[in-house]
Amino acid sequence: MRVIAGEFGGRKLVTPKGGATRPTSDRVRESIFNILVGGRHHVDFGGALVLDVFAGSGALGLEALSRGAAFGVFVERAACARQCIQENARRFGIEEKVRVIGQDARRLSNPTAELDGGADIAFLDPPYGQRLISYGLPRLIAKQWISPKAMIVVEAEKAATVAGLECVVLLDQRDFGDTRVSFMRPR
């Protein structure tokens, strides 16, 4: 896996070994960022605060930092994945722009000081088949981890649905094999 574009474009990412995480493929990640940058809901990464929940290797948040985001908060329970995020930040020389939280995303309380006012861009890529979005996303919005004007990107299995979540407005959905990517904003 590599960073697709920006300051670190083409640089290899350290990823967790084994099946503890399911990294977003380069192809899907590139499509997500093309939609964010070139789509009708244009997202400006310059100076943005990014939240990457169920971060795994941190590829989504690190891609945003490569494209000009100011700071990234990565939430990941697995110790091996957290180590990979920290190693990638060290290799890219951006340790001061990264905060890694080793906590279950469903139990987060108040946001970090860096996210005062909430993240401008939030990525959620939970393990498949566990229905974590329906519980986690409303909580993140209610606890102000996510700004009221944020762009939220959820990557989940096709069978999962974000329809019916009253806390968000669905803007777009795209399917990539067995993966569905949903783009939304808080309601």
Side-chain angles (χ1 to χ4, degrees):
M1 289 184 54
R2 298 185 180 282
V3 175
I4 304 299
E7 183 179 354
F8 312 118
R11 294 189 58 187
K12 189 174 176 164
L13 291 165
V14 175
T15 58
K17 304 286 186 237
T21 62
R22 177 195 34 78
T24 302
S25 73
D26 289 354
R27 178 181 151 271
V28 172
R29 200 163 8 96
E30 181 174 21
S31 296
I32 289 170
F33 281 86
N34 285 342
I35 291 165
L36 290 173
V37 172
R40 64 180 168 204
H41 308 290
H42 177 74
V43 172
D44 181 8
F45 288 96
L49 299 176
V50 175
L51 176 63
D52 190 346
V53 182
F54 310 104
S57 68
L60 292 165
L62 291 166
E63 185 75 37
L65 288 167
S66 180
R67 294 170 185 247
F71 197 87
V73 174
F74 298 78
V75 179
E76 175 56 55
R77 235 177 24 172
C80 61
R82 290 193 312 271
Q83 290 169 351
C84 289
I85 296 166
Q86 291 167 331
E87 175 62 17
N88 285 320
R90 188 193 64 71
R91 286 173 150 201
F92 299 164
I94 56 170
E95 300 98 325
E96 74 286 349
K97 292 183 174 188
V98 169
R99 177 150 184 203
V100 181
I101 298 172
Q103 195 172 350
D104 186 327
R106 296 170 295 179
R107 291 180 173 69
L108 291 172
S109 55
N110 297 327
T112 65
E114 299 90 354
L115 290 183
D116 186 34
D120 302 306
I121 305 161
F123 298 101
L124 287 86
D125 184 9
Y128 284 3
Q130 296 184 26
R131 300 175 47 124
L132 295 173
I133 293 300
S134 61
Y135 176 76
L137 184 55
R139 183 174 174 84
L140 290 168
I141 292 171
K143 292 286 188 177
Q144 300 179 343
W145 283 83
I146 298 173
S147 159
K149 296 182 180 182
M151 174 61 74
I152 303 167
V153 179
V154 174
E155 182 181 340
E157 70 272 20
K158 245 190 224 182
T161 181
V162 295
L165 283 177
E166 293 183 13
C167 63
V168 294
V169 175
L170 182 62
L171 305 172
D172 195 359
Q173 282 188 323
R174 307 286 174 97
D175 292 340
F176 303 91
D178 65 346
T179 299
R180 174 165 289 153
V181 179
S182 302
F183 300 85
M184 57 196 77
R185 292 203 187 269
R187 189 176 301 273

